[in-house]
Every structure is written in structure tokens, then in C-alpha cells.
Amino acid sequence: MASLLLSVNCRLGSRTGRWKSPEAAAIQNIHLPMQSHEVKNRTPVEDIKSLRLITAIKTPYLPDGRFDLEAYDSLLHMQIASGVEGVIVGGTTGEGHLMSWDEHIMLIGHTVNCFGEAVKVIGNAGSNSTREAIHATEQGFAVGMHAALHVNPYYGKTSMKGVVSHFEAILSMGPIIIYNVPSRTGQDIPPPLIHTISQYHNMAGVKECMGNERIQDYTDNGIVIWSGNDDQCHDARWVCGASGVISAASNLIPGLMHALMFRGYDPLLNSKLMPLLEWLFCEPNPVCLNTALAQLGVVRPIFRLPYVPLPLEKRLEFVGIVEGIGRENFVGEKDVQVLEDDDFILLGRY
């Protein structure tokens, strides 16, 4: 018993055996930066700021769940031929959140190697873990991406000071686009925070989904903005001064989206596209886009769960929209099909 008491007293760190509250210690960061002093082949941030039409590119799948790189490459060729200037790889539309990081970085590297001279490759490296965001950004730039896309930490939300610190941790690495989409992250990135981090040289701009009034505020203060809402991007560009759009719809109609961003104020064209743009977001993105590309025969009708195709009545509606706008304005060469429910493959394990 005596030895037991002595052991307890030693652990307590007091001769009297009375417990004393420990003081928090700030542990110095002993990790050396993983860096090279060689001159990096980084894309000038001004080259990213100048982009007008950026497609959030779809990731197609094979029946076993792996990437269908032939379909992916074909879709990229169609984007480039229609004047798309940049692509977001592995973003929300590209289902980066359903990929392993190995898949994610591989797809960024593949896109750079095959298309990097024709289009700017912007890799989604965002995470709610700052450690993961740093690591993914390092890897993305190592395989040659031109810029990174980053959201604020989602689900496990932090304070505004924490959000600033999160972005500061990656802003030294290369051109960064900040993505504000509170409907997905659960937390708005307010203008004062954007104004704070806009002082960083590598801050290329913001993909903003909070509407054109917010966009107008930023452009009035010289901040580069891309609309994140296809149905608002025409007015964002020509009324509110946005640089352009980061678009899901341009997967389907890259030529018409190019016209919308480059040919000047055109409310007639915008009105013509509105039925498609509204249909495209009747369910959370990329449900509708995945369904549409399958109906156009551009990708196989394969979904990684939890995404599932639109119901039959919505697929019929899409056929009518394509006929109204003109099949020639959509990607691919096959006739648009309705497809049967049994035509779709849903993958839970891949």
C-alpha cells in the first residue's frame, strides 16, 4: 500500500499528494517545411484572373467505378473546341468528394498532361481539414495544376479567424480561387473576410454563389469574381462586373455559355437558356448534369452513390429542352434519349 501511495504521489508531481492543474504549453512546430528552393513553374495569378469561362468538369465512370478516361478526354476536347478557358477538376460537379485523394490527384495530373497547354487546370484541393488542404494543394501543384480551388471548412465549422488562418495556410503555394457556397458548407464567407485575404498576391478571386448583389460589392472594390450560379451569370458578367462564370452548364452547352460570357449583353440568349439552367438545378448538382450527359450519350449512365438519376418525367422534360434549344448546341453527336430506369448503374462500392 505504501508503494502504491508513493507511486500516486509521484504521478501527481507533488510531495503532499495534492493535485495541481497543469498549465497549457504551446508546443513549437518542429516540422520542417516540405519545400524545394528551385524556381517553380507557377502560373502567374494574372493568367487565372483573366479567365472568363471555366467549366466545372464532369467525371465519367466505367461499370466497375473507375474513371472513364476516354469519355473524360472526349468531353475535354469538346470544351476546348468551344472556347472554354479553364476547367475545375474534382470539384462538386466532378464529384471530388466521392474520390480518394489518390484518384483526385491522378485526375488532376492526367488533365494537366493531356490538356494543360490548351486549358488552365484548376484542381479542387479544398478540405475541412487544413492539414488535408495543405497536402492536396502541395500535390496538385507538384503534378502541374495551374491553380487550386478552396472552400471554407465545412461541417466542423470554425470561427472567422479560423477560416482566415485556414486560407492563409495555402495562399503561399500558388494561385488560389476561394469558393463560397454556404448551401453546401453551412457557413458564409462574408465580405470583410474576403477583403482581408484579397491582400495576398496569390488570391486569384472568388467563385461566389451568394448572388449578384454580393458580386457587385466585390467588383466595385476591384476583387475578381466568377459567378457560381449559371442562371445568374449573364447579369453577373454584364451588369455586375464579374469576370465570368465557373459553370456546370458548360459541360452540356460550352459554345452557348461561351457566347453568354464573350459576346456582350444578350438577354435574348440568356432567356433562351433559362429553361435548361433551371432544369439543371431542380435537384442538387450534379444529379441533373449526370443524367443529361448520359441521355446525350456522352458518358455511360453510371452513378456513384449517393447520386441517382432523375426520374422519368424529368428525363422526358430534358428531351424537350434539347429540342427547343437545338441538339446541335449540345455536346456529343448521338440523338438525345430518354433512357429507361434499368439503363442506369448505381455503384455503392468502387
Side-chain angles (χ1 to χ4, degrees), residues 113-272:
N113 286 330
C114 296
F115 304 101
E117 293 186 2
V119 70
K120 290 292 185 287
V121 178
I122 303 160
N124 172 30
S127 173
N128 57 354
S129 161
T130 304
R131 176 184 62 84
E132 276 197 1
I134 291 170
H135 187 60
T137 306
E138 287 174 337
Q139 289 190 319
F141 280 124
V143 300
M145 71 182 182
H146 301 107
L149 180 74
H150 277 275
V151 295
N152 48 313
Y154 47 88
Y155 186 68
K157 295 183 291 186
T158 184
S159 63
M160 288 298 104
K161 184 176 180 181
V163 174
V164 171
S165 296
H166 177 82
F167 288 141
E168 286 177 336
I170 48 90
L171 274 164
S172 64
M173 297 183 190
I176 304 294
I177 296 174
I178 301 301
Y179 181 17
N180 186 35
V181 56
S183 63
R184 293 186 182 271
T185 64
Q187 184 181 54
D188 184 25
I189 306 175
L193 192 153
I194 293 296
H195 288 295
T196 296
I197 62 174
S198 68
Q199 307 305 312
Y200 284 83
H201 173 73
N202 282 328
M203 169 70 170
V206 181
K207 177 184 178 183
E208 182 56 71
C209 296
M210 285 296 286
N212 287 348
E213 184 177 347
R214 175 79 63 90
I215 287 174
Q216 183 76 67
D217 173 72
Y218 287 140
T219 59
D220 286 347
N221 286 277
I223 297 174
V224 173
I225 299 293
W226 294 272
S227 174
N229 299 323
D230 280 308
D231 60 341
Q232 299 177 1
C233 70
H234 172 267
D235 287 356
R237 171 87 169 99
W238 301 111
V239 177
C240 301
S243 293
V245 63
I246 297 178
S247 172
S250 54
N251 281 278
L252 298 172
I253 49 167
L256 292 179
M257 292 304 294
H258 185 276
L260 209 61
M261 291 296 101
F262 281 86
R263 293 186 186 175
Y265 186 69
D266 191 344
L268 290 178
L269 176 58
N270 189 48
S271 178
K272 179 180 179 180

Side-chain angles (χ1 to χ4, degrees), residues 18 28 39 46 53 74 100 165 183 204 233 241 263 267 277 282 287 296 321-322:
R18 296 166 65 183
Q28 184 178 3
V39 176
E46 295 303 324
L53 178 57
S74 177
S100 69
S165 296
S183 63
C233 70
R263 293 186 186 175
L277 301 182
C282 68
V287 169
L296 292 168
I321 290 172
V322 172

